[in-house]
Amino acid sequence: MSSSPTDAPDPLSANPGNGPAVSRQEFDALFDALCTWGRWAEADRGAWNRVTAGHVQRATALIRSGTVVPMGLPWNTLPGPDNSKPALHYMSDLGDVEAPEPSTHKDFIAVDYHGKGVSHLDALSHVAYRGQLYDGRAAREVVDSGGARFGAVPALGPLVTKGVLLDLPAVLGIKWLEPGHALHAQDIIAAEKALDVTIGDGDAVLLRSGRFRRRREIGPWNPDVASAGLHVDAMPLLAERAISLLGGDGDSDVRPSPVEGLHSPVHALAITAMGVPLLDNLDLEALSASCAEAGRYEFMLVVTPLNVPGGTGSPVNPVAVL
C-alpha cells in the first residue's frame, strides 16, 4: 500500500479521509497473504471453527450485571436513501379467516436483506473475489438460482463468543465519525488501549462509528456513497488476532473505497480470504451506553442466524449480555 510517514493518518484523528489509495496489485498481494484456505475441515464455517466450548465458557464468565442489549434494527418498511429495497410486512389474517373462536391474527414478512437497511449476517457464500468463494471454491459451481451449496448460512449455526466493542466516537469524545472516515490498524490499537480491551483469538469485533446517532440527528444518507469503516490496512492486524466475526453499525468497509475498482474490499478480505463472516447495520447506540455505564467494552455476544438452506446470510438481532 502506497503511503509514507508524511501521509499516514494520525491514530484516531477526527477526519482522516478514506486513504491512502491502494492499487489492485497491492490489494491482490494482501488478499493472498491473508488467505486461510485449506485450514479447516468444515471449511464453510470458516473462522467460526475457532470458537470452541472453551471460548463459550469464557464468554459466559463476562456476564456480571445480566444486562441484555439487542442490536438489530427495527424491521424497515420505509424507503429511503439507505433503504432502497424496503422490507415487507402486512397482515394476512385479522381474525376473519379461520373459525371464529379463538380469533387469530397473522402477518407476513419478507426482505431483500443484503443492503443498508436491515441488520444481517453475511455468510461465506455472499462474496466472491476473482470468481472464487472462501476456500477456493468456484462461485459458479456452488451458487445458482437454488441457493448456495457451499458457505450457506446453516453451516454457521449460532455463535456464542466474547464480543469487543470498539467505540470510536467515545474514544474521540465526539458524537460520530463522519462518512468517509477510514480506520487503520493503529486506530484499533489506540482504541483498545483507551477502552482497556484486547482483541483475542475467537473474538467478535464490533465497530461503532455512530452512524445511527448521526442518522437520527441529521437524517439519512446513502452509505454506499460515503460511510465510515475499515481501511484494508487494518485487516492484517485482525487476521493476526484470529477473530471469528467482524461487524459494526456500517458494513465494515470505508466508502468511498480506497482500492481501485473494488467497491467492498474489506468484504473480500474478511469473507473470501479470511473466512470471517460479517455483521452489517447493527444499532450499537444502546450497547455504547451500556458499556460506558458498566465501564467495560467486552461482553458475551450471541448471534443466531435463521436456518435458511442455501442462504447467503440471514437477518439477525444479535444480543450482547454484560
Side-chain angles (χ1 to χ4, degrees), residues 11-294:
L12 291 176
S13 58
N15 188 21
N18 72 323
V22 179
S23 71
R24 283 293 288 275
Q25 182 178 10
E26 290 171 317
F27 179 83
D28 285 348
L30 179 60
F31 183 97
D32 293 339
L34 296 184
C35 271
T36 60
W37 296 2
R39 179 169 299 183
W40 294 293
E42 294 184 83
D44 50 2
R45 299 191 71 241
W48 283 20
N49 283 287
R50 292 189 169 115
V51 180
T52 66
H55 289 86
V56 177
Q57 291 171 332
R58 286 193 290 273
T60 62
L62 295 171
I63 300 175
R64 299 174 191 171
S65 67
T67 302
V68 177
V69 186
M71 291 172 265
L73 292 172
W75 200 248
N76 194 346
T77 61
L78 299 177
D82 53 354
N83 192 27
S84 61
K85 298 178 180 179
L88 301 178
H89 178 224
Y90 61 80
M91 300 303 296
S92 57
D93 186 346
L94 294 176
D96 56 359
V97 175
E98 299 180 347
E101 294 296 348
S103 59
T104 60
H105 306 96
K106 301 176 184 177
D107 51 353
F108 170 91
I109 60 173
V111 67
D112 188 345
Y113 59 87
H114 284 299
K116 301 301 186 291
V118 178
S119 301
H120 67 269
L121 175 73
D122 291 341
L124 300 189
S125 54
H126 176 50
V127 174
Y129 183 60
R130 300 182 300 204
Q132 294 178 302
L133 298 177
Y134 178 69
D135 212 46
R137 308 299 176 101
R140 289 186 179 275
E141 294 179 3
V142 295
V143 183
D144 56 25
S145 60
R149 294 183 299 280
F150 173 84
V153 70
L156 293 174
L159 179 75
V160 178
T161 194
K162 183 183 113 182
V164 174
L165 178 66
L166 296 183
D167 194 338
L168 283 308
V171 173
L172 285 165
I174 58 179
K175 291 183 177 182
W176 54 72
L177 305 184
E178 286 296 334
H181 182 137
L183 298 167
H184 303 265
Q186 65 264 32
D187 298 318
I188 294 174
I189 293 169
E192 284 182 305
K193 182 177 180 180
L195 300 172
D196 192 26
V197 293
T198 301
I199 299 166
D201 173 76
D203 288 355
V205 178
L206 304 181
L207 302 167
R208 176 178 174 259
S209 70
R211 170 190 170 191
F212 289 104
R213 180 172 180 180
R214 187 183 194 277
R215 189 186 192 279
R216 288 159 191 158
E217 294 191 19
I218 294 181
W221 72 96
N222 184 357
D224 283 325
V225 175
S227 60
L230 292 171
H231 190 279
V232 296
D233 63 16
M235 298 307 288
L237 174 65
L238 295 177
E240 178 184 320
R241 300 293 184 86
I243 65 171
S244 64
L245 177 66
L246 177 63
D249 53 10
D251 70 357
S252 297
D253 268 286
V254 67
R255 302 180 193 281
S257 168
V259 183
E260 60 182 63
L262 284 182
H263 59 83
S264 301
V266 167
H267 274 63
L269 292 176
I271 295 173
T272 316
M274 298 163 55
V276 173
L278 296 181
L279 283 175
D280 295 348
N281 312 316
L282 304 181
D283 189 340
L284 298 176
E285 297 309 298
L287 181 58
S288 172
S290 294
C291 286
E293 181 178 359

